[in-house]
């Protein structure tokens, strides 16, 4: 019999791609999503890819009673927890929103899991927990640093809470630290749906190429990197989603109670390299200017992902060109009308 996985935030960007991969790898999936940064239509689009219906609960995970009723009613073997706010800048403006949603939501979820003897969880974290470091490639033994933003604080605290529960309360937890997820499903049925003006590089690029934004501003070209622009480890969202399936396989059978994995390609790419790759993939010229540095940007960071490759038997299949091609294909589906501010 298939195992059943609850995916919180399963209609979001990474969540929806993970639901597809789970369904395509013999897992039954239940999604809980409050639609705060997604839409119900995503469930239909997942089904268009997998030909399997998505069992959907529309609720905030902070609603303990709804969670309890769901855990009573369903037979859940493990949880992949995505549901969280993720805008770094917004978290500086509205820190309490981030503490309440990201930390409050996760503790409610863990409490209800514990009450129902569901103890296996894969948690969506970020390389932001390494803070402002220039030591790359960076591996999981690198110490967690002081957070750069309230968003980062929530990821560090949630990792710590999970570690406690794995140590003392019988949980089996896996933390996945993402580098920079980009791209979209090759079917162009699902992808990122940025609300308002995108903060992240790739949606900003695709919206600019689609004529929604006038031009891209490159945030600084005076960094100590080969072309002066920041370096990041961009990873295709489908590769990232596949890593969640591997992580869940591993979590359900592992001997130890807690483990942490970086998820990146292991390749650092500059902002200008990304722009060039996009221009090539889309056949467009991207209007851009060089602007000031963005406050809080780390100069360069990329992953040592060898632990995930070795222990989870996971390897990235997509390169930067595929990331740009699929991001552009998805933008063409969204069209030029997705400007919401
Ligand atoms: N950038 C631009 N112009 C833009 C947007 C971004 O030049 O309009 C540059 C940034 O300065 C940075 C790079 O593109 O050098 C990537 O920026 P993103 O905003 O796409 O991604 P970040 O690396 O800043 O942030 C990502 C995740 C966060 C996470 C952080 C951890 O989005 O959730 O990595 O380092 F916290």
């Amino acid at each position: 019999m298939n195992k059943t996985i609850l995916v919180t935030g399963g209609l979001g960007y990474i969540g929806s791609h993970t639901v597809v991969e789970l369904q395509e790898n013999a897992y039954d999936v239940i999604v809980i999503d409050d639609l705060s940064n997604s839409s119900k239509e995503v469930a239909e689009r997942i089904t268009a890819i997998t030909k399997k219906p998505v069992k959907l609960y529309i609720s905030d995970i902070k609603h303990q009673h709804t969670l309890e009723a769901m855990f009573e009613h369903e037979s859940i073997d493990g949880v992949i927890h995505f549901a969280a706010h993720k805008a770094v800048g917004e978290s500086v403006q509205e820190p309490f929103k981030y503490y309440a949603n990201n930390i409050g939501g996760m503790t409610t979820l863990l409490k209800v899991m514990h009450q129902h003897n569901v103890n296996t969880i894969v948690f969506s974290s970020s390389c932001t927990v390494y803070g402002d470091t220039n030591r790359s490639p960076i591996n999981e033994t690198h110490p967690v640093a002081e957070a750069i933003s309230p968003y980062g604080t929530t990821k560090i605290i949630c990792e710590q809470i999970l570690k406690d529960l794995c140590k003392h309360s019988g949980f089996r937890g896996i933390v996945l630290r993402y580098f920079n997820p980009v791209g979209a499903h090759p079917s162009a049925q699902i992808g990122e749906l940025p609300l308002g003006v995108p903060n992240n590089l790739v949606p900003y690029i695709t919206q600019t190429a689609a004529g929604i934004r006038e031009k891209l501003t490159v945030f600084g070209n005076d960094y100590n990197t080969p072309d002066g622009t920041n370096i990041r480890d961009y990873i295709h969202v489908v590769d990232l989603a596949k890593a969640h399936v591997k992580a869940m396989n591993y979590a359900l059978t592992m001997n130890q109670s807690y483990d942490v994995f970086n998820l990146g390609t292991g390749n650092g790419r500059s902002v200008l390299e990304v722009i060039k790759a996009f221009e090539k993939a889309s056949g467009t010229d991207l209007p851009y200017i060089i602007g000031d540095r963005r406050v809080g940007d780390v100069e360069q960071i990329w992953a040592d992902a060898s632990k995930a490759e070795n222990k989870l038997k996971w390897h990235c299949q997509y390169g930067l060109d595929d990331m740009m091609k699929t991001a552009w294909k998805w933008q063409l589906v969204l069209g030029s009308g997705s400007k919401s501010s």
Side-chain angles (χ1 to χ4, degrees), residues 30-270:
I30 298 164
V31 167
I32 183 165
D33 199 299
D34 68 357
L35 306 183
S36 60
N37 196 12
S38 60
S39 84
K40 252 167 123 174
E41 195 198 330
V42 175
E44 290 153 30
R45 289 173 161 269
I46 292 171
T47 301
I49 300 169
T50 64
K51 313 289 176 239
K52 292 182 184 157
V54 175
K55 189 162 199 181
L56 176 62
Y57 286 78
I58 297 174
S59 172
D60 185 327
I61 54 163
K62 293 197 296 304
H63 293 160
Q64 190 172 329
H65 295 309
T66 311
L67 272 192
E68 282 169 351
M70 184 177 64
F71 273 81
E72 285 297 324
H73 187 68
E74 306 285 356
S75 171
I76 295 169
D77 296 289
V79 177
I80 303 183
H81 176 45
F82 293 104
H85 293 320
K86 61 173 185 181
V88 177
E90 183 190 55
S91 79
V92 176
Q93 304 304 319
E94 297 182 66
F96 295 109
K97 177 172 166 182
Y98 278 69
Y99 305 144
N101 194 61
N102 295 9
I103 304 172
M106 175 135 165
T107 47
T108 305
L109 172 69
L110 291 166
K111 190 164 144 192
V112 176
M113 285 174 68
H114 194 50
Q115 283 164 1
H116 293 82
N117 292 318
V118 178
N119 59 12
T120 305
I121 179 164
V122 172
F123 171 58
S124 161
S125 189
S126 162
C127 67
T128 195
V129 302
Y130 297 122
D132 190 1
T133 172
N134 281 332
R135 285 253 318 267
S136 283
I138 195 162
N139 71 27
E140 297 83 352
T141 63
H142 190 89
V144 166
E146 191 175 317
I148 307 168
S149 66
Y151 163 78
T153 303
T154 68
K155 291 297 175 191
I156 293 170
I157 291 177
C158 286
E159 284 195 6
Q160 192 59 54
I161 289 171
L162 184 55
K163 199 172 182 182
D164 282 347
L165 293 175
C166 290
K167 217 188 222 168
H168 306 297
S169 306
F171 272 82
R172 289 192 297 188
I174 298 227
V175 164
L176 300 178
R177 292 179 180 156
Y178 313 151
F179 282 68
N180 288 57
V182 298
H185 197 271
S187 66
Q189 286 286 354
I190 53 172
E192 194 167 6
L193 291 167
L195 283 179
V197 183
N199 296 304
N200 295 117
L201 179 63
V202 174
Y204 207 105
I205 287 178
T206 59
Q207 288 198 5
T208 304
I212 301 169
R213 312 282 157 207
E214 194 190 334
K215 57 182 177 302
L216 172 79
T217 302
V218 175
F219 295 140
N221 69 347
D222 56 352
Y223 286 97
N224 186 22
T225 59
D227 67 20
T229 63
N230 286 154
I231 293 177
R232 294 288 183 273
D233 188 339
Y234 298 91
I235 173 171
H236 197 290
V237 66
V238 171
D239 279 329
L240 194 70
K242 287 177 190 289
H244 288 73
V245 177
K246 300 275 190 179
M248 183 49 78
N249 297 343
Y250 181 76
L252 288 167
T253 54
M254 71 181 175
N255 297 323
Q256 69 206 84
S257 59
Y258 179 80
D259 216 342
V260 182
F261 296 96
N262 283 342
L263 296 180
T265 62
N267 299 312
R269 304 296 198 142
S270 74

Side-chain angles (χ1 to χ4, degrees), residues 248-303:
M248 183 49 78
N249 297 343
Y250 181 76
L252 288 167
T253 54
M254 71 181 175
N255 297 323
Q256 69 206 84
S257 59
Y258 179 80
D259 216 342
V260 182
F261 296 96
N262 283 342
L263 296 180
T265 62
N267 299 312
R269 304 296 198 142
S270 74
V271 177
L272 293 180
E273 279 180 288
V274 174
I275 293 172
K276 277 201 199 88
F278 177 79
E279 289 182 326
K280 186 170 149 238
S282 64
T284 62
D285 278 335
L286 192 79
Y288 72 89
I289 54 163
I290 306 293
D292 293 338
R293 290 182 176 199
R294 181 170 68 176
V295 176
D297 268 339
V298 173
E299 183 173 272
Q300 45 189 315
I301 184 164
W302 66 94

Side-chain angles (χ1 to χ4, degrees), residues 275-334:
I275 293 172
K276 277 201 199 88
F278 177 79
E279 289 182 326
K280 186 170 149 238
S282 64
T284 62
D285 278 335
L286 192 79
Y288 72 89
I289 54 163
I290 306 293
D292 293 338
R293 290 182 176 199
R294 181 170 68 176
V295 176
D297 268 339
V298 173
E299 183 173 272
Q300 45 189 315
I301 184 164
W302 66 94
D304 174 346
S306 53
K307 186 177 170 192
E309 289 172 3
N310 295 330
K311 274 182 116 170
L312 302 180
K313 311 275 177 259
W314 164 81
H315 299 278
C316 287
Q317 293 165 351
Y318 294 97
L320 189 60
D321 290 349
D322 305 307
M323 300 179 210
M324 295 303 123
K325 263 188 209 143
T326 55
W328 181 229
K329 196 171 162 195
W330 171 240
Q331 181 65 56
L332 293 176
V333 170
L334 290 177

